[in-house]
């Protein structure tokens, strides 16, 4: 059974790429650059954006058609990460309405955090460069836990760091693994349909407790009120 919507909400947790921050433009640059290095023509931007939440491995496969079993795969993954490091934070921005939502949460004494499968070597500098205010209360990356999402370990660590119970938190994500992790942690889950979702995916099957088609819909859903633009 799904957990009830928290009456005593203490924390709102976000996935990073495709949920809290729009980073797709940077990955488009990276994937196109990697293809150009191999003499390949540019890919359709929408195809790259849809794959961002699947991580670096999926982007290498998309860019070069290289299977993970290929002897050159790891070298190409490292090259993609090196290219990403060069543009990290250059054009990424919080989604519309997110800063206002975080401010409203702070006014109500509600903390916020991020649980991401993005390595800390990239997630922490990105958050630092964006300098989102009010400041993040908890950032948990795969380096910090033994099990990655969809395992709930990262979300439970967020809660421990923020001093709340899982049933007092909401988790928002744009991938099935996010919703599964949130459900397994015992949280109220929200599917971010505005994020990076592949054409053959069906968020209706993820089992989220709620969904939003725009980041601006998060405040009414979570706080029951619209916020000024």
């Amino acid at each position: 059974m799904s957990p009830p919507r928290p009456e005593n909400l203490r924390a709102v947790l976000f996935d990073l790429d495709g949920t809290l921050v729009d980073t797709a433009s940077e990955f488009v640059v990276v994937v196109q650059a990697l293809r150009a290095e191999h003499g390949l023509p540019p890919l359709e931007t929408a195809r790259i954006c849809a794959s961002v939440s699947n991580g670096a491995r999926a982007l290498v496969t998309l860019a070069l058609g290289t299977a993970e079993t290929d002897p050159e795969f790891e070298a190409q993954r490292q090259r993609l990460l090196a290219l990403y490091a060069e543009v990290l934070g250059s054009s990424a921005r919080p989604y519309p309405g997110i800063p206002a939502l975080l401010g409203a949460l702070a006014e109500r004494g509600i903390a916020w955090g991020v649980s991401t499968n993005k390595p800390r070597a990239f997630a922490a500098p990105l958050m630092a460069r964006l300098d989102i205010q009010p400041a993040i209360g908890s950032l948990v990356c795969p380096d910090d836990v033994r099990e990655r999402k969809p395992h709930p370990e990262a979300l439970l660590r967020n809660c421990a760091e923020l001093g709340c119970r899982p049933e007092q938190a909401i988790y928002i994500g744009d991938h099935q693994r996010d919703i599964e992790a949130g459900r397994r942690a015992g949280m109220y889950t929200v599917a971010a349909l505005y994020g990076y979702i592949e054409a053959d995916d069906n968020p209706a099957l993820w089992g989220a407790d709620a969904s939003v088609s725009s980041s601006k819909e998060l405040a009414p859903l979570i706080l029951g009120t619209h916020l000024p633009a």
Side-chain angles (χ1 to χ4, degrees), residues 61-185:
T61 297
L62 176 66
L64 304 178
T66 306
E68 293 191 32
T69 53
D70 190 291
E72 294 297 315
F73 184 87
E74 181 57 22
Q76 297 304 328
R77 187 180 76 88
Q78 292 299 328
R79 179 55 183 157
L80 180 137
L81 293 177
L83 289 167
Y84 179 49
E86 294 176 2
V87 300
L88 179 69
S90 59
S91 61
R93 296 291 183 271
Y95 278 98
I98 292 292
L101 170 60
L102 299 181
L105 292 175
E107 291 175 357
R108 292 161 173 78
I110 301 170
W112 73 279
V114 167
S115 178
T116 177
N117 277 351
K118 194 187 198 78
R120 181 167 285 275
F122 299 101
L126 176 61
M127 295 301 294
R129 291 172 191 177
L130 292 174
D131 191 27
I132 301 173
Q133 297 297 326
I136 187 171
S138 172
L139 171 63
V140 179
C141 303
D143 324 52
D144 305 320
V145 292
R146 288 174 295 181
E147 300 287 346
R148 299 163 63 98
K149 295 181 299 182
H151 195 281
E153 182 183 359
L155 291 174
L156 297 177
R157 177 162 176 159
N158 283 125
C159 288
E161 293 181 354
L162 296 174
C164 72
R165 299 191 303 274
E167 62 269 23
Q168 296 174 315
I170 290 174
Y171 186 48
I172 307 161
D174 70 324
H175 196 281
Q176 183 173 0
R177 75 172 73 87
D178 299 318
I179 303 307
E180 181 180 344
R183 288 172 60 86
R184 290 172 67 182

Side-chain angles (χ1 to χ4, degrees), residues 1-5 179-180 182-189 207-209:
M1 294 181 61
S2 298
R5 181 172 169 175
I179 303 307
E180 181 180 344
R183 288 172 60 86
R184 290 172 67 182
M187 295 179 180
Y188 187 87
T189 59
D209 299 300

